[in-house]
Amino acid sequence: MEKQTMNHLSVDDVKQMLLYVGENITASKDYLGEIDAEIGDGDHGTGMATGAEAFTKKLQESEFETVNDVFKTTGMEMMKSMGGASGIIFGTMFSDGVKQLESKSSIDHTGLSEIFRGSLDSVKKRGKADVGDKTMIDALDPAVQSLEADSSKELTLAVVLKHAEEAAWNGVEETKQITAKHGRAKTLGDRTKGYQDAGATSVWLIFKSMREWVEQHEG
Ligand code: ADP
Ligand code: MG
């Protein structure tokens, strides 16, 4: 039998996929913390894991009618539980992308591209940062550009997410070349060169997890 590819995500697929993202964030708590400790205060792993545990609980105990509500709830839980700059940044990444989107009961890769474009624009606005500032935007911006470049092509969701994951990772690599301008790392200035940004690493992990979930659920 031919391999079944996954091209659409139902409301429950999106929920299961984000639960898998949450599992991976929790499992990467120490890894993310160590990266942040190099040039930040080392709390990024515990912060992200706190957010992931909060949204996991909420997603598990809730019933959702739309894809929009799943993303929105995920982000809101991160904002409420994490606090601080990264709570707002990552909360916004999950909750704001669906704001401009009509209510959907399923999405394909074009829908995913629209969601993350909304996320990126909102994160930039809220955090007043842009590409080259050594933040998570350095991974999210290229990931969104990759999603947009693929959005009119006939590709499977897994392939599109693989491209976005690779673009995010290239962005993480690029953050090593940049001096930090935002967050706590900015006080270290030039000493931040050579170290990758923790938040950018989280963005890569999120795209990697979404790609893995889709691959694992293809028949
Ligand atoms: P804190 O900076 O409060 O210690 P975390 O360690 O959890 O919070 O998160 C740090 C990450 O947040 C950084 O690595 C960076 O990617 C991201 N970040 C910080 N400020 C901004 C901003 N203004 N815009 C986008 N991302 C940001
Ligand atoms: Mg920190």
Side-chain angles (χ1 to χ4, degrees):
M1 220 172 83
E2 225 176 288
K3 193 174 181 297
Q4 289 291 304
T5 53
M6 187 174 256
N7 294 314
H8 286 82
L9 299 171
S10 67
V11 176
D12 192 56
D13 288 337
V14 172
K15 171 170 155 174
Q16 299 307 324
M17 183 177 76
L18 293 183
L19 285 171
Y20 181 74
V21 168
E23 263 177 55
N24 280 291
I25 290 173
T26 305
S28 306
K29 182 164 132 177
D30 293 345
Y31 168 64
L32 295 171
E34 281 158 23
I35 292 168
D36 190 32
E38 300 282 3
I39 48 171
D41 52 6
D43 65 349
H44 187 64
T46 49
M48 289 299 286
T50 299
E53 278 152 31
F55 78 64
T56 296
K57 187 168 179 291
K58 189 74 178 181
L59 292 186
Q60 279 171 341
E61 66 192 25
S62 311
E63 296 267 345
F64 297 98
E65 298 285 326
T66 63
V67 167
N68 309 55
D69 278 345
V70 185
F71 275 102
K72 187 179 164 202
T73 300
T74 302
M76 298 291 284
E77 289 303 309
M78 291 187 101
M79 272 188 224
K80 277 196 280 181
S81 62
M82 291 167 69
S86 64
I88 295 169
I89 297 298
F90 283 89
T92 297
M93 172 177 163
F94 284 103
S95 69
D96 274 22
V98 289
K99 272 194 178 163
Q100 312 299 324
L101 196 78
E102 58 180 286
S103 291
K104 301 244 186 208
S105 56
S106 85
I107 47 165
D108 59 5
H109 73 273
T110 308
L112 216 53
S113 162
E114 286 170 28
I115 290 174
F116 283 102
R117 162 53 63 186
S119 303
L120 174 65
D121 290 349
S122 201
V123 165
K124 283 183 178 176
K125 221 167 148 186
R126 286 237 188 160
K128 298 184 171 59
D130 212 327
V131 173
D133 289 342
K134 201 177 178 92
T135 71
M136 57 83 88
I137 292 168
D138 290 312
L140 188 56
D141 190 286
V144 169
Q145 286 195 43
S146 173
L147 290 173
E148 287 179 341
D150 281 349
S151 77
S152 58
K153 296 181 193 157
E154 295 235 355
L155 296 169
T156 67
L157 209 45
V159 167
V160 167
L161 283 169
K162 181 73 189 164
H163 292 163
E165 172 192 344
E166 284 166 359
W169 182 255
N170 291 336
V172 171
E173 286 290 331
E174 277 173 33
T175 61
K176 291 182 186 171
Q177 310 304 318
I178 311 168
T179 298
K181 290 178 194 140
H182 288 268
R184 296 201 174 91
K186 77 174 174 215
T187 55
L188 294 172
D190 279 342
R191 277 187 288 156
T192 62
K193 248 194 177 157
Y195 297 103
Q196 77 200 56
D197 179 67
T201 311
S202 283
V203 170
W204 162 73
L205 182 68
I206 290 162
F207 278 94
K208 177 178 186 281
S209 303
M210 292 195 292
R211 187 266 304 163
E212 283 176 0
W213 189 89
V214 169
E215 273 184 5
Q216 287 163 15
H217 290 81
E218 288 184 336

